[in-house]
Amino acid sequence: MKSVLLLAMLLCLCTSVHAGDSFGFEAKTYSHGGQSLNYRILYPADFEPQKTYPLVLFLHGAGERGDDNLAQLTHGAELFAREDVRREYPAIVVFPQAPENDYWANVDVLRESQPYQLQFADISAQPTDAMQLVLALTDVLSAEPFVDKQRVYVGGLSMGAMGTYEILARRPHLFAAAIAICGGGNVNNAAHYQKELHIWAFHGTEDKVVDASLSEEMVAAINQHGGNARLTLYKDTNHNSWDKAFAEPALLPWLFTQRLDE
């Protein structure tokens, strides 16, 4: 009986550790303007401050909001933490966490029908508290001497992709490339983007939360304004298109070859 109980306890412990895996990301908190933002950061395995590295900012979805400084690693962190990825693409990777009732993007979400009806503000509107903190944190991190200023990237999924589309307009000369998974944005903001911006968007055609047409409209608007946007649509895929996006063998080679012009 004792051995059975011990086995059950070990199984519970293993499940708990796996569910709360930080993948080697360090827990930190950034304070600005009397507010604070939890985030996780992963440095290259053999980090040397005298060298320079790409910086990757990744914004999570609505389901990972909170104050545990861990849930934001649920999707995407494992990819960047893989040993082969860290060896091939040494980079500084940052996953901030939005508070429970905040959004990255300035958007009204109407949940009465599916897909949700989303009303996006343009960048003339005040950014959310979470966005203001992310902007300030990104400004600080990107200014570090060990960050390659020509290779700063941003990505996100769902709510985080909406934040990605917005932050690209609020910091148009900072990011060399972006990844936007099952998101959407205000098409007018694309006029503010860096010219020749490289962005790869992904969406499931059967998304019942965020309609795939929102990605189609953003990609079209970006290209109309001189950007370099591409869209991959996954047939018979609902809102979890990030699973297929993260499995794309060309995703990281594409991302880490993008550079801002000197």
Side-chain angles (χ1 to χ4, degrees), residues 152-212:
V152 179
Y153 310 118
V154 62
L157 58 88
S158 192
M159 181 186 87
M162 299 172 197
T164 295
Y165 286 125
E166 183 171 317
I167 201 172
L168 288 169
R170 295 191 182 278
R171 291 293 185 273
H173 304 295
L174 179 61
F175 299 103
I179 300 167
I181 306 171
C182 60
N186 188 315
V187 294
N188 295 325
N189 287 344
H192 300 278
Y193 288 4
Q194 171 85 12
K195 300 304 180 186
E196 298 299 322
L197 172 73
H198 291 265
I199 182 167
W200 193 351
F202 303 86
H203 220 120
T205 60
E206 304 303 316
D207 196 321
K208 298 299 189 294
V209 178
V210 181
D211 197 283

Side-chain angles (χ1 to χ4, degrees), residues 69-90:
N69 204 3
L70 188 62
Q72 73 267 35
L73 300 177
T74 302
H75 305 296
E78 186 173 9
L79 170 64
F80 289 103
R82 270 178 21 200
E83 183 178 347
D84 61 317
V85 170
R86 297 183 74 190
R87 182 175 60 250
E88 186 72 18
Y89 308 108

Side-chain angles (χ1 to χ4, degrees), residues 50-180:
Q50 68 273 22
K51 293 184 177 181
T52 60
Y53 303 90
L55 173 66
V56 180
L57 172 70
F58 198 88
L59 305 178
H60 63 76
E64 290 76 59
R65 292 176 293 182
D67 59 6
D68 66 348
N69 204 3
L70 188 62
Q72 73 267 35
L73 300 177
T74 302
H75 305 296
E78 186 173 9
L79 170 64
F80 289 103
R82 270 178 21 200
E83 183 178 347
D84 61 317
V85 170
R86 297 183 74 190
R87 182 175 60 250
E88 186 72 18
Y89 308 108
I92 300 162
V93 186
V94 178
F95 277 68
Q97 184 180 37
E100 181 65 35
N101 296 313
D102 208 347
Y103 287 91
W104 299 124
N106 191 332
V107 56
D108 288 330
V109 182
L110 307 177
R111 302 173 184 269
E112 288 75 15
S113 61
Q114 290 189 328
Y116 297 154
Q117 298 299 304
L118 304 171
Q119 298 176 352
F120 298 95
D122 63 31
I123 60 167
S124 65
Q126 181 79 1
T128 65
D129 290 343
M131 175 58 71
Q132 291 184 64
L133 287 164
V134 162
L135 288 167
L137 173 63
T138 305
D139 289 344
V140 169
L141 292 176
S142 62
E144 291 285 2
F146 47 77
V147 169
D148 185 342
K149 307 304 186 285
Q150 273 65 54
R151 301 176 71 200
V152 179
Y153 310 118
V154 62
L157 58 88
S158 192
M159 181 186 87
M162 299 172 197
T164 295
Y165 286 125
E166 183 171 317
I167 201 172
L168 288 169
R170 295 191 182 278
R171 291 293 185 273
H173 304 295
L174 179 61
F175 299 103
I179 300 167

